[in-house]
């Protein structure tokens, strides 16, 4: 495990953090043994710890209201552009916060379907929509960085509807094709 890839890279710092804590404890023990004014050092260390705690950053508020709020809970959503790596984290965050299912997201690794899906989107192959439309209605959130020919292709799909647009985001609905 971890020989070829680490699913959560932040976990790699755990041994380093433990080692640093042990070194700090050994240093503090040596300092308190060798100095006559131990109480002054203890008070100084306590003040440094308290001062570090005081300077915290406020929590970041979630993104403000957009056309994405028109997406019903439980819906299937694709965010465009679909890029590589952690830039898809916003799609996953918004899906969790707003209660729908995101097709793209980032959890530390790319699922097997991600590469073929990106290629199909880049090649304008309609099968990419059909696969998801068989499951449910598909909402497509299109950021302003997506090129116009792609948007025109998306809008030309059977049943495609522009649900809303605001600033840098357009929301399309591709109705599901599942049979009851």
């Amino acid at each position: 495990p971890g020989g070829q890839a680490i699913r959560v890279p932040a976990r790699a710092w755990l041994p380093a953090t433990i080692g640093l804590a042990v070194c700090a404890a050994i240093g503090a023990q040596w300092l308190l043994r060798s100095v006559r004014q131990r109480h002054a050092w203890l008070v100084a260390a306590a003040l440094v710890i308290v001062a570090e705690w005081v300077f915290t950053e406020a929590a970041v508020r979630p993104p403000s209201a957009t056309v994405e709020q028109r997406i019903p809970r439980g819906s299937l959503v694709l965010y465009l552009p679909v890029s590589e790596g952690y830039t898809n984290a916003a799609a996953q965050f918004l899906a969790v916060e707003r209660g729908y299912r995101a097709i793209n997201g980032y959890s530390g690794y790319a699922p097997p379907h991600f590469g073929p899906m990106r290629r199909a989107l880049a090649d304008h192959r309609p099968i990419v929509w059909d696969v998801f439309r068989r499951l449910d209605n598909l909402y497509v959130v299109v950021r302003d960085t997506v090129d116009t020919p792609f948007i025109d292709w998306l809008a030309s799909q059977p049943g495609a509807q522009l649900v809303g647009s605001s600033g840098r985001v357009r929301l399309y609905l591709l109705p599901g094709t599942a049979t009851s």
Side-chain angles (χ1 to χ4, degrees):
Q4 294 186 359
I6 299 175
R7 181 168 178 226
V8 183
R11 299 292 183 259
W13 281 103
L14 187 60
T17 304
I18 291 171
L20 186 61
V22 169
C23 288
I26 291 170
Q29 181 186 18
W30 174 82
L31 190 63
L32 290 175
R33 277 190 186 163
S34 63
V35 176
R36 292 185 178 186
Q37 297 174 347
R38 291 179 209 181
H39 298 295
W41 280 104
L42 282 173
V43 169
L47 287 175
V48 167
I49 291 171
V50 169
E52 182 184 38
W53 171 78
V54 170
F55 298 107
T56 59
E57 240 180 272
V60 177
R61 295 192 56 88
S64 60
T66 64
V67 294
E68 295 158 296
Q69 288 187 324
R70 295 182 182 180
I71 301 171
R73 294 182 69 77
S75 296
L76 193 57
V77 180
L78 174 65
Y79 279 82
L80 297 176
V82 178
S83 53
E84 291 186 40
Y86 68 91
T87 53
N88 287 306
Q92 186 172 352
F93 170 78
L94 291 170
V96 169
E97 181 188 59
R98 295 180 178 161
Y100 48 77
R101 301 170 289 161
I103 294 170
N104 54 324
Y106 181 75
S107 63
Y109 69 98
H113 77 276
F114 214 65
M117 181 184 73
R118 290 184 69 224
R119 283 190 296 279
L121 286 167
D123 294 342
H124 294 197
R125 289 186 290 176
I127 191 167
V128 74
W129 309 122
D130 298 340
V131 168
F132 297 113
R133 292 174 77 175
R134 284 186 204 129
L135 301 172
D136 200 352
N137 291 336
L138 175 62
Y139 287 87
V140 183
V141 178
V142 182
R143 304 279 181 212
D144 64 347
T145 55
V146 175
D147 59 352
T148 304
F150 185 92
I151 296 171
D152 294 342
W153 173 65
L154 168 62
S156 71
Q157 297 305 305
Q161 304 166 23
L162 178 63
V163 176
S165 177
S166 73
R168 304 177 70 186
V169 178
R170 294 181 191 180
L171 178 63
Y172 288 89
L173 168 63
L174 299 175
T177 59
T179 56
S180 300

